[in-house]
Amino acid sequence: SYGRFDRKDKSVVVVNNNSYATEVTVPVWKAGILENEPVCSLLRTDEYGYNFEAKIYYLNEGSLRIPMPPYSAVVLKSIANLF
């Protein structure tokens, strides 16, 4: 995973390059995303295609646990400024 941030936006990309599904814990606090900031998926991809269905995730102690299918990636963005 990796993150990008500036004064206004905070984003994280998570990639599973394995041939098996896994659940990963991402320390999103390193990208400046705080405990009370929800994040939303903007784009998900896997070996079958992609989708733009938004899903909201909540942090636990500065980290995000997210299930990842085989050969998949997800782009997440903090949406704290929307609330």
Side-chain angles (χ1 to χ4, degrees):
S1 64
Y2 60 93
R4 294 289 181 262
F5 57 93
D6 60 21
R7 291 182 185 176
K8 187 176 128 186
D9 294 312
K10 302 167 194 169
S11 300
V12 175
V13 177
V14 183
V15 178
N16 178 14
N17 201 26
N18 296 305
S19 60
Y20 53 87
T22 188
E23 184 172 88
V24 297
T25 301
V26 182
V28 296
W29 64 268
K30 291 182 177 183
I33 299 174
L34 304 176
E35 179 68 30
N36 60 346
E37 293 182 55
V39 295
C40 181
S41 60
L42 302 177
L43 170 68
R44 291 189 73 91
T45 66
D46 60 24
E47 60 189 316
Y48 303 107
Y50 63 92
N51 73 60
F52 295 103
E53 181 180 332
K55 182 172 182 182
I56 296 175
Y57 296 92
Y58 296 91
L59 309 184
N60 183 18
E61 297 181 4
S63 294
L64 172 68
R65 289 186 60 101
I66 185 167
M68 298 293 294
Y71 305 116
S72 64
V74 61
V75 178
L76 301 158
K77 183 179 184 321
S78 170
I79 57 171
N81 295 339
L82 298 177
F83 296 106

